[in-house]
Amino acid sequence: MASFGRFIRLALGACALVLVIVAAPASAQQVNPTASSVKEQQLLQELNRIQGRVSIPDQRSGVLEQPQGREWREFRNVTLRWIGGVAIVGMLALLVVFYLTRGMVRLESGRSGRSIVRFTMFERFVHWMTATCFIILAISGLNITFGRPLLLPLIGFEAFSEWSQWAKYAHSYLSFPFTIGVILIFLMWIAGNIPNKVDVAWIRRGGGIVGHDHPPAYRFNAGQKMIYWIVVIGGGLVAATGYQLMFPFYIGGIGGMQMAQIIHSVVAVLFVAAMIAHIYIGTIGMEGAFEAMGSGEVDLNWAREHHSLWLEEQSGRTGPNDQRPQQATAAAE
Ligand code: HEM
């Protein structure tokens, strides 16, 4: 019996010794960061950053992890996905509800059969070049943000890496025509997009989109002016930050790169949400709107309902009899 008691005491003593060794504070252990096997968590407790030595001239690449980097990673993998998801899915949901309740904005006075030139060939070329680049930049950019959690499980590693590589090439190379497009849009339409008193009245009257009113507007109404400034400012911001990401560390250090990525990605997802609304109103949202950017000509009654002050200006310049009959309208009738 006595020997059994001694055995129990010995066993308890041994357990206590093991516990003391295991629970020894990490800081008391000397961690060698260059050891062949070292746990990340151990290093973080020790130094709060993982840093080593590198043989290349840029010593910044020696920092593998640091507190600020972990905060950025949290933003990139969690917060950004929430902002993007809520903005894009929210906008789509809003438009579905709007379409189901309001329906298409109809051409209430019917077609006159006569048309007026709204956008020249050059303006339409710039618009469609920029729009095509934007759509591809948006899809390829969103693949970087959402591809791993959403697309990878569906198509598998091989297809995902092949697609992502092409998407990345597209994102890099189409940035150049997109930037040229944004600059041309800025120069081409700035004169018609300076806010004025007519815009205030247009907004107060719901722009004719919420109700069935037809508030007067010049060439661009307040809604279109908002889209114009979103494109110019948003496009300018994604371009400036995008080139900073494309040519890393030319401007700023790691903090600058993180800031560029945050601005680029947040502006981009909000930009996509805004452009979804723009595409909606230019297609199924408003009767006759697509023709303006399609053929470049709109029906006189459409111009009267949506841009009455612009039509007055144009009629004053060319005379009402100068409007050529629109072939597309005649064909549709
Ligand atoms: C001049 C134009 C642009 C340039 C130079 C540019 C450049 C870049 C670069 C270098 C990256 C990082 C790619 C990587 O991590 O491998 C990126 C990411 C991204 N871009 Fe762009 N981009 C441009 C325009 C756009 C536009 C118009 C959109 C969308 C409307 C967009 C959306 C995104 C998104 C969502 C990401 C991923 C952000 C992330 O999750 O980290 N970009 N872009």
Side-chain angles (χ1 to χ4, degrees):
M1 201 63 196
S3 64
F4 179 70
R6 228 181 37 232
F7 172 72
I8 293 287
R9 274 200 302 277
L10 260 173
L12 285 174
C15 284
L17 194 64
V18 168
L19 277 175
V20 166
I21 292 168
V22 170
S27 56
Q29 299 172 20
Q30 274 305 309
V31 178
N32 174 8
T34 54
S36 59
S37 161
V38 54
K39 286 200 178 76
E40 177 191 342
Q41 204 50 40
Q42 230 177 340
L43 280 169
L44 290 176
Q45 278 166 0
E46 183 79 0
L47 301 164
N48 218 15
R49 55 199 277 140
I50 301 176
Q51 192 166 5
R53 281 184 299 276
V54 286
S55 55
I56 60 169
D58 189 350
Q59 290 301 309
R60 283 172 301 199
S61 58
V63 179
L64 196 62
E65 262 198 63
Q66 50 158 334
Q68 210 193 354
R70 286 190 291 277
E71 280 159 25
W72 172 77
R73 188 171 55 192
E74 175 74 8
F75 162 81
R76 166 66 182 70
N77 292 346
V78 181
T79 318
L80 173 62
R81 285 179 182 153
W82 272 104
I83 297 173
V86 170
I88 295 170
V89 178
M91 179 58 83
L92 285 170
L94 211 71
L95 290 173
V96 169
V97 172
F98 188 69
Y99 185 73
L100 293 177
T101 50
R102 167 65 170 88
M104 185 186 240
V105 176
R106 292 278 172 200
L107 186 50
E108 285 173 351
S109 49
R111 288 183 181 270
S112 69
R114 293 199 302 159
S115 66
I116 178 170
V117 174
R118 185 144 168 82
F119 292 113
T120 64
M121 182 75 147
F122 179 71
E123 286 175 310
R124 282 179 286 141
F125 167 75
V126 172
H127 173 272
W128 288 118
M129 178 188 75
T130 317
T132 310
C133 292
F134 177 87
I135 291 169
I136 300 172
L137 285 166
I139 293 171
S140 54
L142 291 176
N143 183 56
I144 300 170
T145 312
F146 294 104
R148 263 185 96 79
L150 297 185
L151 195 59
L152 175 68
L154 293 179
I155 63 173
F157 283 101
E158 211 136 295
F160 182 69
S161 70
E162 187 72 17
W163 142 251
S164 296
Q165 192 182 346
W166 284 108
K168 178 68 186 110
Y169 283 139
H171 202 87
S172 295
Y173 288 109
L174 290 182
S175 66
F176 300 107
F178 173 77
T179 309
I180 294 170
V182 170
I183 294 169
L184 289 175
I185 284 176
F186 169 68
L187 298 172
M188 231 165 41
W189 292 329
I190 176 76
N193 280 289
I194 307 292
N196 56 33
K197 268 190 274 178
V198 175
D199 300 322
V200 180
W202 189 91
I203 292 171
R204 281 215 183 108
R205 286 169 62 172
I209 295 163
V210 178
H212 288 264
D213 197 3
H214 293 298
Y218 285 101
R219 189 177 187 202
F220 299 112
N221 61 39
Q224 291 169 314
K225 286 181 185 179
M226 275 182 228
I227 292 293
Y228 172 85
W229 288 109
I230 287 171
V231 169
V232 168
I233 298 170
L237 282 173
V238 289
T241 51
Y243 291 125
Q244 202 178 334
L245 294 174
M246 206 186 279
F247 303 103
F249 298 114
Y250 277 90
I251 308 169
I254 191 80
M257 288 293 293
Q258 288 173 344
M259 194 42 76
Q261 191 278 338
I262 291 169
I263 295 171
H264 189 82
S265 54
V266 172
V267 172
V269 291
L270 299 179
F271 203 173
V272 170
M275 286 305 113
I276 290 173
H278 171 67
I279 294 168
Y280 167 82
I281 208 74
T283 53
I284 57 168
M286 180 183 280
E287 188 179 3
F290 190 81
E291 292 158 27
M293 259 321 152
S295 67
E297 295 180 354
V298 289
D299 192 273
L300 278 189
N301 284 351
W302 184 91
R304 196 167 290 119
E305 283 185 16
H306 300 298
H307 298 274
S308 56
L309 300 173
W310 171 69
L311 182 64
E312 275 170 31
E313 269 179 355
Q314 294 302 103
S315 304
R317 224 168 41 190
T318 58
N321 295 330
D322 256 14
Q323 324 297 351
R324 288 173 291 131
Q326 191 189 40
Q327 283 171 357
T329 313
E333 281 167 354

